[in-house]
Amino acid sequence: MESFIFLSYLTSTIAYTSLFLFAIIRKKRYWLFILSALLSAFWSGAIVRTTQDSQFFLADTLIFETLRNVSWFFLLAALLSRQKYGNDYQYIRSRLALPIGLFVSFAASIEAFPNFLDFIHPWIQADPRFFAHVVSAVLGLILIEQLYRNTPLNQRWNLKFICLGLAALFVADLFTYSKSLLYKHLDIASWQSRGIINALLVPFLAIALPRLDDVNQNLEQTSPRKTVFYTTILFGCGVYLILMSAAGYYLKHANAEWGETVQTVFIFLAILLLAVSFTSGKIRALAKVYFGKHFFHYSYDYREEWLKISKALAKLESLEELKNFIITTLMSLVESSGGGLWLKNEQGQFVLAAEQNLRLTPQELDHLKNGKHLPEYLANKQWVIDFFELAHAPEVYEDIDLSPWCYEDSQVWLIVPLFHLNHLEAFAVLTQPRVPRKLNWEDHDLLKTVGMQLANAIALNKASEALASNRQFEAYHRLSAYLVHDLKNITAQISLIVKNADKHKHNPDFFDDTIDTLNNVFHKMQHIVEQLRQGNAPPSSDSQINLVDVILKIKRHHIGSPPLQFETTLENCIIRANLTKLNSIITNLIQNAQEATQKPGGWVKLVLSTDQDYAVIDIMDNGVGMDQQFIAERLFKPFDTTKGNAGMGIGAYEARDYILKNAGKMNVKSQPGEGTSFTLHLPLAHNQ
């Protein structure tokens, strides 16, 4: 046994000595860490010496362990102080330092002076040294918990390993000394294993040391409410386990025959009771109400509540998730046992949209569904209706009849309105709380504030759904507009044939042009039919085309006023494009120019040329022209037209969109009263 203790703590001594040397040779020395590593090495070494010298006892090493614990306490307190106050010593100078210092002094006194231990031993049954080390282990775990909780998420990586290492160290101590306290003698089995455990923890501390250099101060303190709550709970659990262990010990000795069995069953039931308490919503509610009444001036940390809800809302993806989240949030704020959400529909009626454990009678639900006075009252008063307040001060709600929910076993407790821009978007009905409580002004303010935040989320979600629906309608409208635009151009071509039929019906060339035009109309109509069948435009196929031939054909078929003048010195100008689409674009631009030049002496001219690697089409007129503001803001804006019902407002937009998608360029120059020039640059075929 002694040889195993010797090897176990010799390993620990070597490990802590190595850690001390590693800490001392670093350029940036952290002296509290160095002191802690040194005292840990002394503690392990003292136990090693005890196993080799019969004049010393294991109990003589407890004072070294206390000093080791105190050094780690100072290190944790300094790190915690840096996070909360921006320096290493503020926490050490706090009010808690005095009682902790007195406790440590007491523990050190009974370990260093045996006479003092003999003096107080008759007064208590158990060994006070074991009790002191149990409390020290609990205190260490509390400091670690507070350090980790008060560290921002982006800095927890720096403290992760020191928290893990020291938490494992104090858990091992807690296990060893709580068991020793229970059986009134040192538990050698767990004692001898602590040396190996400490040696295994040293690598964690070695990894943590360089990371301490990057720990920055965090002046943004976390909530004192959360600190007090979790610290008290953790400390209470430690005290509870100590008391239950002591009770189990006395039960064991009360009955020699069944003592161990009774002790085991008792401790199991005690731990089971603790687990049930942690998982009980009612007990948690009681704890929150108690702490809120007796420890805090304000019951809520509004910033924390707002941020928590905002982060949760950002993760929701649908209205259904939002509805359930609203109920859950409002229930948790006041510890209600259930709730339901009534949303306003498109007809302005409020309907039950979601519920959780809503135990209302059919009559109560019917009154909520068909009652018109309740939404009007909520919209006018903007109050949270509290039925507990109604029972004690009915004059507050004399403007509304709430009798359908005012009977002895009614589950309705609160009706919370949700407002968006002073409009009632929804209201929530919350059932009776897990623990009876009276709401104060702060509860009402929080419910109304959170209600507005949740109502904004509802309005945003509805707006998103409406936008998605409008986009679908817009897609259909856009398709319809393109089809009507194509039909208008086709109608214009057929109209020209009809107008010139009487004049040229005996001309064979006229009939040839008419057949070509009708053939072109047929292909366009076929293209439109395909669009209607598929719901969108079928993929177009590009081919090499000669712009000279295309423009001559357009000039021949497009008999408008004033007539188109075509100028070019080219015999061939080959580009790669979709013939139907390009023909439609050029025709539409020519037609727009003719419509803008309805005056005596008006002219429309098309000039075809080349510029390096581009074919250049200039469509010019001396019509009414456009100002620069119109060109910048409205010319290429889809569905914006100056022709009233006669135009669709997509010709220029469609032309520019197609040309840009085909690596081309489009420029517009215009002056009011002087005319307009559209310049199209299309890549020549040999460059594609």
Side-chain angles (χ1 to χ4, degrees):
M1 179 70 70
E2 288 187 357
S3 62
F4 185 83
I5 296 177
F6 172 78
L7 293 175
S8 175
Y9 282 93
L10 178 62
T11 306
S12 175
T13 303
I14 295 173
Y16 276 120
T17 303
S18 302
L19 180 64
F20 167 75
L21 294 175
F22 172 67
I24 200 70
I25 63 175
R26 294 180 72 245
K27 290 184 178 180
K28 189 172 183 179
R29 297 182 178 91
Y30 204 85
W31 293 108
L32 284 176
F33 189 96
I34 293 172
L35 177 63
S36 300
L38 180 61
L39 290 177
S40 298
F42 279 154
W43 162 71
S44 300
I47 297 176
V48 171
R49 186 194 64 172
T50 301
T51 60
Q52 301 299 307
D53 192 340
S54 59
Q55 295 182 358
F56 297 96
F57 301 95
L58 292 179
D60 297 331
T61 64
L62 293 177
I63 181 63
F64 294 103
E65 185 170 344
T66 298
L67 295 176
R68 179 207 68 171
N69 291 342
V70 171
S71 65
W72 288 122
F73 291 166
F74 271 107
L75 175 63
L76 292 171
L79 292 173
L80 182 59
S81 181
R82 183 185 301 183
Q83 293 296 332
K84 295 189 68 174
Y85 305 109
N87 63 75
D88 290 354
Y89 305 106
Q90 183 67 33
Y91 207 79
I92 299 174
R93 296 195 296 264
S94 65
R95 297 178 182 177
L96 294 175
L98 179 60
I100 293 176
L102 292 176
F103 167 76
V104 170
S105 300
F106 171 77
S109 299
I110 60 177
E111 292 169 350
F113 304 105
N115 294 333
F116 184 53
L117 177 64
D118 295 337
F119 174 75
I120 64 172
H121 201 277
W123 299 90
I124 54 177
Q125 295 289 332
D127 192 328
R129 295 173 296 181
F130 296 155
F131 177 80
H133 281 276
V134 168
V135 174
S136 295
V138 172
L139 179 60
L141 292 173
I142 290 175
L143 286 172
I144 294 169
E145 186 268 344
Q146 285 301 299
L147 174 61
Y148 194 77
R149 184 176 297 279
N150 282 277
T151 301
L153 291 176
N154 60 344
Q155 292 190 27
R156 287 183 178 178
W157 180 86
N158 298 321
L159 297 174
K160 178 175 66 175
F161 282 102
I162 194 169
C163 289
L164 286 174
L166 293 181
L169 184 149
F170 287 120
V171 166
D173 289 353
L174 179 62
F175 176 78
T176 299
Y177 288 109
S178 59
K179 195 172 180 181
S180 301
L181 181 64
L182 179 63
Y183 292 105
K184 285 191 173 181
H185 62 79
L186 188 63
D187 184 60
I188 298 298
S190 58
W191 171 276
Q192 65 185 5
S193 63
R194 284 198 312 158
I196 296 294
I197 292 174
N198 275 262
L200 293 175
L201 297 179
V202 167
F204 288 87
L205 301 177
I207 295 173
L209 179 57
R211 298 187 180 187
L212 295 182
D213 299 339
D214 300 325
V215 176
N216 299 319
Q217 67 182 37
N218 175 41
L219 297 179
E220 182 185 350
Q221 301 180 24
T222 56
S223 170
R225 173 185 317 282
K226 187 177 291 186
T227 300
V228 173
F229 183 78
Y230 285 106
T231 301
T232 307
I233 291 297
L234 185 60
F235 184 77
C237 290
V239 174
Y240 172 82
L241 291 174
I242 292 173
L243 293 177
M244 292 301 102
S245 299
Y249 172 79
Y250 285 109
L251 286 174
K252 174 184 176 181
H253 288 274
N255 189 322
E257 183 177 358
W258 296 95
E260 290 190 5
T261 303
V262 171
Q263 180 195 40
T264 303
V265 172
F266 177 80
I267 293 177
F268 171 77
L269 292 176
I271 295 175
L272 181 63
L273 177 62
L274 186 63
V276 170
S277 300
F278 270 110
T279 57
S280 171
K282 186 170 184 177
I283 293 178
R284 286 201 308 270
L286 279 169
K288 288 182 180 179
V289 171
Y290 179 81
F291 280 100
K293 284 183 177 180
H294 297 90
F295 285 86
F296 307 112
H297 180 64
Y298 294 106
S299 301
Y300 302 100
D301 187 329
Y302 293 95
R303 176 182 175 276
E304 182 180 349
E305 295 291 344
W306 185 270
L307 290 176
K308 180 175 67 175
I309 295 174
S310 299
K311 290 178 181 178
L313 286 173
K315 298 177 182 178
L316 302 180
E317 298 180 352
S318 66
L319 183 59
E320 290 302 319
E321 292 182 0
L322 176 60
K323 292 184 221 177
N324 292 320
F325 174 77
I326 290 173
I327 300 174
T328 304
T329 300
L330 294 175
M331 287 170 54
S332 64
L333 284 178
V334 292
E335 297 298 332
S336 171
S337 58
L341 178 68
W342 274 257
L343 277 180
K344 184 168 63 174
N345 60 18
E346 296 178 354
Q347 290 75 36
Q349 300 174 336
F350 289 86
V351 296
L352 180 60
E355 61 175 289
Q356 290 185 25
N357 197 28
L358 184 66
R359 300 187 302 272
L360 299 187
T361 64
Q363 293 78 11
E364 289 176 319
L365 291 174
D366 186 63
H367 283 297
L368 288 169
K369 177 181 178 181
N370 300 320
K372 298 181 180 180
H373 300 294
L374 178 62
E376 293 177 357
Y377 180 83
L378 292 173
N380 293 331
K381 294 290 187 179
Q382 299 190 4
W383 286 353
V384 174
I385 298 179
D386 184 350
F387 283 82
F388 182 86
E389 182 183 39
L390 174 64
H392 294 82
E395 67 277 2
V396 176
Y397 301 98
E398 60 184 7
D399 298 338
I400 184 174
D401 180 17
L402 299 174
S403 57
W405 306 283
C406 294
Y407 59 93
E408 185 176 356
D409 296 327
S410 176
Q411 291 295 313
V412 178
W413 176 36
L414 299 173
I415 300 179
V416 184
L418 279 65
F419 288 95
H420 174 66
L421 300 178
N422 287 326
H423 296 288
L424 185 65
E425 289 288 334
F427 64 85
V429 175
L430 302 181
T431 57
Q432 296 295 333
R434 296 185 179 96
V435 179
R437 58 177 296 190
K438 178 183 178 182
L439 300 185
N440 58 20
W441 63 269
E442 196 174 357
D443 297 307
H444 283 262
D445 282 352
L446 180 66
L447 285 172
K448 287 190 290 186
T449 303
V450 171
M452 286 189 290
Q453 187 181 15
L454 297 175
N456 291 339
I458 294 175
L460 180 61
N461 195 282
K462 287 184 176 180
S464 299
E465 289 188 348
L467 180 60
S469 178
N470 289 338
R471 283 175 178 169
Q472 292 180 342
F473 281 111
E474 181 183 357
Y476 285 109
H477 292 162
R478 188 181 295 271
L479 175 61
S480 302
Y482 281 119
L483 294 178
V484 172
H485 183 265
D486 289 342
L487 288 174
K488 182 173 72 71
N489 291 336
I490 291 171
T491 303
Q493 291 181 349
I494 297 175
S495 175
L496 290 174
I497 294 174
V498 173
K499 288 180 180 179
N500 292 279
D502 291 336
K503 182 178 180 181
H504 301 285
K505 62 183 178 180
H506 299 294
N507 186 347
D509 292 336
F510 175 76
F511 277 97
D512 292 339
D513 292 340
T514 299
I515 295 299
D516 290 341
T517 302
L518 291 176
N519 184 50
N520 184 45
V521 168
F522 166 74
H523 288 297
K524 285 187 176 181
M525 291 296 295
Q526 194 175 35
H527 178 73
I528 291 173
V529 170
E530 288 297 325
Q531 282 184 287
L532 291 174
R533 285 178 178 174
Q534 299 181 16
N536 51 27
S540 57
S541 58
D542 293 344
S543 60
Q544 288 192 356
I545 58 177
N546 187 351
L547 272 178
V548 177
D549 295 338
V550 171
I551 296 172
L552 287 173
K553 189 174 182 180
I554 292 174
K555 180 178 183 300
R556 187 168 62 249
H557 293 164
H558 192 83
I559 310 172
S561 177
L564 175 65
Q565 303 174 28
F566 176 43
E567 297 180 3
T568 185
T569 59
L570 305 174
E571 294 183 0
N572 294 293
C573 185
I574 309 301
I575 67 169
R576 187 171 184 82
N578 179 267
L579 178 59
T580 304
K581 193 73 174 178
L582 184 62
N583 186 77
S584 175
I585 289 172
I586 296 175
T587 301
N588 184 73
L589 292 176
I590 293 172
Q591 185 175 334
N592 287 345
Q594 290 173 331
E595 292 175 354
T597 319
Q598 299 297 318
K599 65 178 183 178
W603 51 265
V604 175
K605 184 185 297 183
L606 190 153
V607 178
L608 176 62
S609 61
T610 59
D611 181 13
Q612 296 181 353
D613 296 329
Y614 289 91
V616 182
I617 302 173
D618 281 311
I619 302 175
M620 301 170 283
D621 66 71
N622 64 343
V624 295
M626 300 173 287
D627 58 34
Q628 294 303 312
Q629 183 178 2
F630 181 87
I631 295 174
E633 297 179 0
R634 298 184 57 188
L635 177 61
F636 298 108
K637 185 178 181 181
F639 312 111
D640 187 355
T641 179
T642 59
K643 302 176 184 178
N645 294 330
M648 299 301 298
I650 61 174
Y653 167 79
E654 184 181 23
R656 188 180 68 168
D657 182 65
Y658 177 79
I659 291 171
L660 292 178
K661 286 180 179 178
N662 285 271
K665 296 180 288 185
M666 183 175 183
N667 299 318
V668 181
K669 295 180 181 179
S670 184
Q671 289 292 333
E674 296 182 8
T676 302
S677 172
F678 280 84
T679 304
L680 284 58
H681 290 74
L682 295 169
L684 294 171
H686 64 269
N687 294 311
Q688 296 186 354

